[in-house]
């Protein structure tokens, strides 16, 4: 049996404790866990964290998992799992220094709810039951063709296999895909939003949440020869750091909406593609 013990403490008073004992561990995913939570508070969603642990112990039959999420001395979530089955769960929430609810679950005794918000009582019960059911669902999703396309586009442009547990690679990938979309080279119809000069994509964030725990990704090329040829024509303009990519993305976005073509790189990109 192998062991993993991780403690992540943040300046805002948030604390995450993860303890794993298992007959099978994915070492690459353990390293990815360090990258994700050492760079910042990657997620406080207990379902996302349990999913990451599921990837780490994928294929394991004998295991123990203990996870605690504490927000300024309030236990937001506490989960114990043994041999892939949830043993116990606890959660509480405070609003304006008053307890909103307290939830306990045990595989032996079932649910125990103490809810002080009568107006939202049923919603709280439904949400917590759904969380527990999702924790019980230990299915690890395989990489989709779209996930693989993202990995391969990144590799072609930047010349190395991405590690989406690193914030730098996630940011570079987001800006790259946004640029390709604006140049009508999108590999899929993924949605982006720009607000206050920040580029958002909830869809892409969901993909990163799923595959970041895999660490460095190495997948076969499944892109068409024509598409690869177009990427090769422009990759030298894109092969840079995340800040420069962001500036290029914002310039392209302004050109797209305002018709501003007074940008040498943008013009060179368009010329390379014969546009």
């Amino acid at each position: 049996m192998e062991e993993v013990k991780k403690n992540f403490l943040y300046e805002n008073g948030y604390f995450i404790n993860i303890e794993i004992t298992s007959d099978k561990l994915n070492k690459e995913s353990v390293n990815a866990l360090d990258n994700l939570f050492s760079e910042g508070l990657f997620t406080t969603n207990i379902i996302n964290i349990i999913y990451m642990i599921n990837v780490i112990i994928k294929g394991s039959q004998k295991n123990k998992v203990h996870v605690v999420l504490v927000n300024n001395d309030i236990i937001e979530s506490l989960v114990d799992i043994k041999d892939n089955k949830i043993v116990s769960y606890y959660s509480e929430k405070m609003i304006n220094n008053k307890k909103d609810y307290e939830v306990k679950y045990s595989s032996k005794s079932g649910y125990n709810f103490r809810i002080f918000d009568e107006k939202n009582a049923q919603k709280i019960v439904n949400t917590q039951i759904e969380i527990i059911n999702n924790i019980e669902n230990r299915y690890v999703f395989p990489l989709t063709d779209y996930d693989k396309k993202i990995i391969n586009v990144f590799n072609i442009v930047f010349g190395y296999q991405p590690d989406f547990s690193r914030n730098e690679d996630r940011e570079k990938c987001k800006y790259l895909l946004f640029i390709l979309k604006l140049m009508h080279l999108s590999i899929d119809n993924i949605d982006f939003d720009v607000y206050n000069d920040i580029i958002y994509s909830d869809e892409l964030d969901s993909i990163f949440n799923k595959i970041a725990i895999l660490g460095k990704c190495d997948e076969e090329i499944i892109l068409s020869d024509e598409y690869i040829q177009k990427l090769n024509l422009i990759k030298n303009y894109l092969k840079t750091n995340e800040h420069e990519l962001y500036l290029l993305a914002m310039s392209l976005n302004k050109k797209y909406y305002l018709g501003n073509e007074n940008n040498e790189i943008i013009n060179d990109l368009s010329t390379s593609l014969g546009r």
Side-chain angles (χ1 to χ4, degrees):
M1 300 288 280
E2 298 180 85
E3 291 187 356
V4 173
K5 292 186 178 181
K6 302 292 180 182
N7 293 293
F8 304 101
L9 179 62
Y10 304 94
E11 291 181 358
N12 64 355
Y14 217 98
F15 172 72
I16 298 176
N17 171 245
I18 297 173
E19 298 179 12
I20 304 169
T21 304
S22 176
D23 59 354
K24 187 172 183 178
L25 287 175
N26 183 331
K27 298 292 180 60
E28 182 68 27
S29 292
V30 173
N31 293 335
L33 187 71
D34 276 329
N35 289 341
L36 287 167
F37 287 93
S38 295
E39 289 187 341
L41 188 51
F42 182 70
T43 180
T44 61
N45 185 311
I46 186 63
I47 296 172
N48 289 346
I49 293 174
I50 293 297
Y51 182 86
M52 294 175 186
I53 295 171
N54 291 346
V55 175
I56 290 173
I57 63 174
K58 183 180 178 182
S60 166
Q61 297 301 315
K62 300 290 293 181
N63 51 68
K64 289 184 180 180
V65 175
H66 176 74
V67 181
V68 183
L69 279 62
V70 180
N71 186 358
N72 290 291
D73 298 325
I74 303 299
I75 300 175
E76 285 193 354
S77 300
L78 186 155
V79 179
D80 282 302
I81 294 169
K82 182 178 180 182
D83 299 339
N84 301 322
K85 298 291 183 181
I86 187 169
V87 176
S88 62
Y89 169 87
Y90 177 85
S91 179
E92 62 180 286
K93 185 175 181 180
M94 300 285 289
I95 297 179
N96 297 326
N97 295 320
K98 291 183 179 180
K99 184 167 285 191
D100 193 47
Y101 64 77
E102 182 179 336
V103 179
K104 297 179 183 179
Y105 169 80
S106 166
S107 58
K108 293 182 179 180
S109 57
Y111 296 94
N112 187 316
F113 292 93
R114 294 181 64 205
I115 300 175
F116 304 94
D117 180 357
E118 295 182 3
K119 182 179 178 180
N120 295 304
Q122 190 59 54
K123 181 180 179 181
I124 292 170
V125 169
N126 292 343
T127 299
Q128 292 298 313
I129 290 175
E130 183 179 1
I131 289 172
I132 293 168
N133 288 338
N134 280 321
I135 291 172
E136 283 276 22
N137 179 5
R138 302 186 61 79
Y139 182 72
V140 174
F141 295 99
L143 288 176
T144 66
D145 283 351
Y146 184 61
D147 300 333
K148 294 176 183 179
K149 287 177 181 178
I150 290 175
I151 292 166
N152 286 313
V153 165
F154 187 105
N155 185 26
I156 290 170
V157 172
F158 298 116
Y160 68 92
Q161 298 294 343
D163 180 349
F164 291 124
S165 69
R166 299 173 66 244
N167 184 64
E168 177 186 351
D169 284 359
R170 293 195 302 275
E171 291 293 287
K172 287 174 73 171
C173 186
K174 178 173 67 175
Y175 301 143
L176 170 64
L177 295 180
F178 183 63
I179 289 168
L180 293 177
K181 184 180 181 72
L182 292 174
M183 299 189 69
H184 309 292
L185 288 175
S186 177
I187 56 176
D188 211 334
N189 192 27
I190 192 165
D191 290 326
F192 289 90
D193 293 302
V194 180
Y195 181 71
N196 285 344
D197 291 335
I198 299 176
I199 301 170
Y200 298 93
S201 175
D202 291 338
E203 193 175 347
L204 190 57
D205 284 344
S206 294
I207 293 170
F208 287 152
N209 283 341
K210 182 183 76 172
I211 65 178
I213 191 63
L214 297 174
K216 187 173 289 187
C217 296
D218 183 5
E219 291 296 324
E220 72 275 13
I221 295 291
I222 55 174
L223 301 166
S224 70
D225 290 341
E226 181 184 2
Y227 189 82
I228 293 173
Q229 184 179 16
K230 289 180 179 178
L231 282 182
N232 284 327
L233 287 173
I234 62 173
K235 69 179 183 181
N236 287 337
Y237 298 101
L238 306 174
K239 201 173 186 178
T240 184
N241 59 50
E242 66 269 31
H243 179 65
E244 294 297 327
L245 272 176
Y246 166 77
L247 294 177
L248 177 57
M250 295 307 293
S251 294
L252 274 167
N253 191 53
K254 289 176 181 177
K255 173 185 180 295
Y256 182 80
Y257 286 105
L258 303 177
N260 176 18
E261 298 192 23
N262 296 321
N263 185 301
E264 185 177 344
I265 294 178
I266 292 174
N267 291 334
D268 286 346
L269 280 168
S270 298
T271 300
S272 297
L273 293 171
R275 294 174 181 165

